[in-house]
Amino acid sequence: MYCLELAGDEDAFAACEAATAASAVEIVAPGVATARGIAADRVRNLAYTHAASELVATTAADIDAAELALEAATVDRAGSIAVRARDIRSQTGCSTRTAERRLGSVLVDRGFSVDLDDPDHELRVLFSEGEVDGEKRDVCLLGWLAAESKRDYGDRRPTDRPFFQPGSMAPLDARALVNIAGAGPDTRVVDPMCGTGGLLLEAALVGSSVLGVDAQWKMTRGSRENLTALVGDANFEIVHGDATALPVVDDSADAVVFDAPYGRQSKVARHELADLVGGALAEARRIADRAVVVADRPWEKEARNAEWTVDHRFERRVHGTLVRHVHVLSG
Ligand SMILES: C[S@@+](CC[C@H](N)C(=O)[O-])C[C@H]1O[C@@H](n2cnc3c(N)ncnc32)[C@H](O)[C@@H]1O
């Protein structure tokens, strides 16, 4: 068993992404989940999971209980250790310093040396308290760190790219969306409304070959510039075209992911927005069995009309007036 440290404050969304890198993911308390197994190389690419650790013990959110549980646990490791504790979302009031000192002493008594800079093994101690699905939870999970996600999103802010337009998606969100869509090595991902290429960029960075389409020439030129600058020789193609009539053959992609235009009408595409999104959903269904569609409103009826099953719809607040609806679709 593993424990996962979720990022952000929407655990259901984070767990949905984590499920692409771990099996049987279950939220056990705010910000923490358990999983039966993990694919460590995929955990490294997750946006909304910080780390996965091999579970040693589960107790109540209490340092005495955590200390007793560690004393009783079998530890089949040797070498140096560090203990890192977190009071997730600062809800339990447990002192992380005290927890680190006391649990560290338990391990020293068992023959481990302490190395805070470069330990052979790192014990994560996660205290969390709060509600999950209306039920009160109060846990401490102890686990040996197995994989951490790479947090390099600040290196590729949309405003620092060669081509920027307002509305470019933040790389952290784009990464989560392409992961949920199933991006990764040996997959082909299509964004039929690629804009500045934010989704394509993240899909290419996790190893997908990507195709971007946009109805505006300046977007196709700009996203090509961005991909060239940030992923270099990765396998990408950008073409000018219409999301409702994609220049690709049936069943030629593993996933489609797009961020539909916001507002009552699409200014650029000469379609009413509903026709545009409906048409794009139908085209997506023609070429792939999985899609993740982001919009400023729910498009569930249109997705079903296009013969998609809506597996999830998440509402994510971006700022005061904008809520992003994330539809996770399967064929
Ligand atoms: C919300 S933006 C996408 C933003 C993008 N995810 C990014 O990070 O920059 C929507 C895009 O859809 C494009 N678009 C609108 N109608 C289209 C159509 N019929 N076919 C293809 N692209 C279209 C617009 O030009 C715009 O770039």
Side-chain angles (χ1 to χ4, degrees):
M1 282 288 277
Y2 291 81
C3 51
L4 308 178
E5 294 169 48
L6 304 177
D9 51 14
E10 291 165 74
D11 291 338
F13 181 75
C16 178
E17 188 206 15
T20 65
S23 57
V25 175
E26 198 186 321
I27 299 164
V28 292
V32 283
T34 54
R36 197 179 305 133
I38 60 160
D41 52 337
R42 292 199 210 150
V43 170
R44 281 184 205 108
N45 286 331
L46 292 176
Y48 281 93
T49 294
H50 288 296
S53 303
E54 210 181 308
L55 198 60
V56 173
T58 307
T59 71
D62 172 80
I63 298 175
D64 293 338
E67 192 176 22
L68 282 175
L70 185 60
E71 278 167 357
T74 309
V75 179
D76 55 353
R77 292 164 191 252
S80 60
I81 56 103
V83 178
R84 306 229 195 276
R86 288 181 58 202
D87 177 13
I88 291 171
R89 297 178 196 159
S90 310
Q91 291 301 306
T92 69
C94 290
S95 157
T96 53
R97 257 208 203 164
T98 306
E100 286 170 356
R101 187 173 41 76
R102 284 177 51 189
L103 297 181
S105 299
V106 171
L107 293 172
V108 168
D109 290 347
R110 292 175 77 155
F112 289 93
S113 58
V114 173
D115 180 346
L116 297 181
D117 298 324
D118 188 22
D120 296 321
H121 310 288
E122 185 173 321
L123 185 75
R124 305 287 265 229
V125 182
L126 312 172
F127 296 102
S128 174
E129 197 179 305
E131 284 199 0
V132 175
D133 295 333
E135 257 183 51
K136 275 203 94 41
R137 303 287 173 89
D138 162 4
V139 298
C140 174
L141 303 180
L142 284 78
W144 294 110
L145 180 64
E148 275 184 293
S149 59
K150 198 169 165 196
R151 317 305 294 170
D152 58 354
Y153 301 99
D155 299 347
R156 48 181 188 280
R157 287 186 196 93
T159 44
D160 296 341
R161 296 178 194 159
F163 177 68
F164 170 73
Q165 292 281 295
S168 299
M169 190 175 285
L172 188 74
D173 288 323
R175 171 62 65 85
L177 297 171
V178 302
N179 279 338
I180 292 172
D186 303 319
T187 60
R188 181 156 175 79
V189 173
V190 175
D191 180 348
M193 303 191 193
C194 68
T196 64
L199 290 161
L200 298 174
L201 196 54
E202 295 305 316
L205 286 169
V206 298
S208 293
S209 87
V210 298
L211 167 66
V213 177
D214 203 284
Q216 293 190 74
W217 284 105
K218 76 167 179 183
M219 295 296 188
T220 57
R221 277 193 301 271
S223 55
R224 203 174 289 131
E225 246 187 282
N226 283 345
L227 268 101
T228 305
L230 284 134
V231 296
D233 55 1
N235 195 353
F236 74 87
E237 200 186 341
I238 313 278
V239 297
H240 179 257
D242 187 336
T244 67
L246 292 174
V248 294
V249 297
D250 295 359
D251 299 319
S252 55
D254 296 287
V256 169
V257 53
F258 67 89
D259 183 17
Y262 301 161
R264 203 175 61 81
Q265 283 197 321
S266 161
K267 290 190 202 83
V268 291
R270 299 186 302 279
H271 301 277
E272 286 287 330
L273 190 54
D275 290 343
L276 169 61
V277 175
L281 283 162
E283 272 296 81
R285 184 69 199 92
R286 180 179 70 76
I287 68 165
D289 286 335
R290 193 155 174 81
V292 173
V293 175
V294 183
D296 63 349
R297 68 198 70 187
W299 290 109
E300 286 176 68
K301 185 165 66 68
E302 289 71 10
R304 289 196 189 93
N305 288 345
E307 297 185 7
W308 288 105
T309 299
V310 181
D311 295 333
H312 304 280
R313 182 170 61 81
F314 299 103
E315 291 183 22
R316 298 174 52 73
R317 184 163 294 284
V318 182
H319 52 69
T321 52
L322 177 61
V323 175
R324 277 203 181 113
H325 296 253
V326 177
H327 307 71
V328 182
L329 310 175
S330 59

